[in-house]
Amino acid sequence: MRLTHRPRLLASVALTALVLAGCAAQPEAAGDAPATAVETWAELDATELIDQLEAMPLDERPQDVLASIRQHEVLLSSPDGSQDVSVPIEEGHYLSIAPYVDRTHDCYFHSLTTCTGEMGGEEITVQIVDDSTGEVYVDETTRAHDNGFVGFWLPRDIGATVTVTAAGRSAQASVATGGEDLTCLTSLQLT
């Protein structure tokens, strides 16, 4: 065995190890832990958080976080209750609407991860009109998300009438957007 090539071999092995170490992920500092699903979703502002979860197909919804829309915040929690985070809603009141023909569920605070209605993917016309001024906040035809809901940002502290029409049927309800009012409207039975 010739010893003249051994130093080159050792240098080559050392250089390869150095290059590979440079490409490897840096070890986490003591006390650093990967972000939980709750923490990851909490990095978004409330509008982005609501828009992304509301539009997400049902089979892609996260199983490791619960998200509930309140009047002034989105509450994120882990299913086991070990973690709770509040994401503030800076402006407006989010109202999520799930009209139905045959089946519904009781709901007050809309859950972005668990609430489902029967009209997923259906075309729905929605009109929302201020009861005292007649101002029209919403007048559009849209398609319900996979979860059967359509959602709208409304001004805070108003009273309004919601009219929903789909497949030649309609329903109407009064809503309010104050500090104690609902964010999930599931009582609109289309007749």
Side-chain angles (χ1 to χ4, degrees):
M1 178 171 170
R2 293 184 65 168
L3 296 176
T4 57
H5 295 293
R6 191 169 196 166
R8 282 188 191 158
L9 177 64
L10 291 175
S12 177
V13 169
L15 181 59
T16 301
L18 182 61
V19 168
L20 290 175
C23 293
Q26 295 295 319
E28 293 179 13
D32 286 353
T36 65
V38 170
E39 292 166 336
T40 300
W41 282 103
E43 291 175 3
L44 300 175
D45 71 34
T47 302
E48 293 172 316
L49 174 65
I50 291 169
D51 288 348
Q52 286 186 28
L53 285 174
E54 193 85 287
M56 190 175 286
L58 289 175
D59 61 352
E60 294 177 19
R61 302 261 166 128
Q63 301 296 310
D64 51 359
V65 65
L66 299 172
S68 177
I69 303 174
R70 305 303 171 102
Q71 295 88 355
H72 300 284
E73 64 188 345
V74 179
L75 294 179
L76 300 172
S77 60
S78 56
D80 65 2
S82 64
Q83 190 174 27
D84 293 311
V85 175
S86 172
V87 177
I89 294 175
E90 301 297 333
E91 289 184 35
H93 180 97
Y94 188 78
L95 179 65
S96 198
I97 303 168
Y100 73 100
V101 174
D102 297 315
R103 65 176 172 77
T104 190
H105 64 282
D106 288 335
C107 188
Y108 198 81
F109 297 122
H110 182 52
S111 171
L112 291 162
T113 51
T114 62
C115 276
T116 57
E118 72 178 19
M119 299 192 72
E122 298 290 326
E123 190 172 273
I124 298 169
T125 300
V126 178
Q127 187 177 61
I128 303 175
V129 179
D130 189 294
D131 289 336
S132 59
T133 67
E135 182 177 350
V136 177
Y137 297 116
V138 176
D139 189 4
E140 67 181 68
T141 299
T142 187
R143 192 161 300 282
H145 295 294
D146 194 30
N147 65 353
F149 282 83
V150 292
F152 302 96
W153 286 99
L154 300 171
R156 288 184 177 162
D157 299 318
I158 63 160
T161 298
V162 176
T163 305
V164 176
T165 305
R169 300 172 178 206
S170 63
Q172 196 171 67
S174 293
V175 296
T177 62
E180 301 296 319
D181 292 309
L182 58 79
T183 62
C184 187
L185 180 59
T186 57
S187 61
L188 288 167
Q189 185 172 20
L190 299 170
T191 57

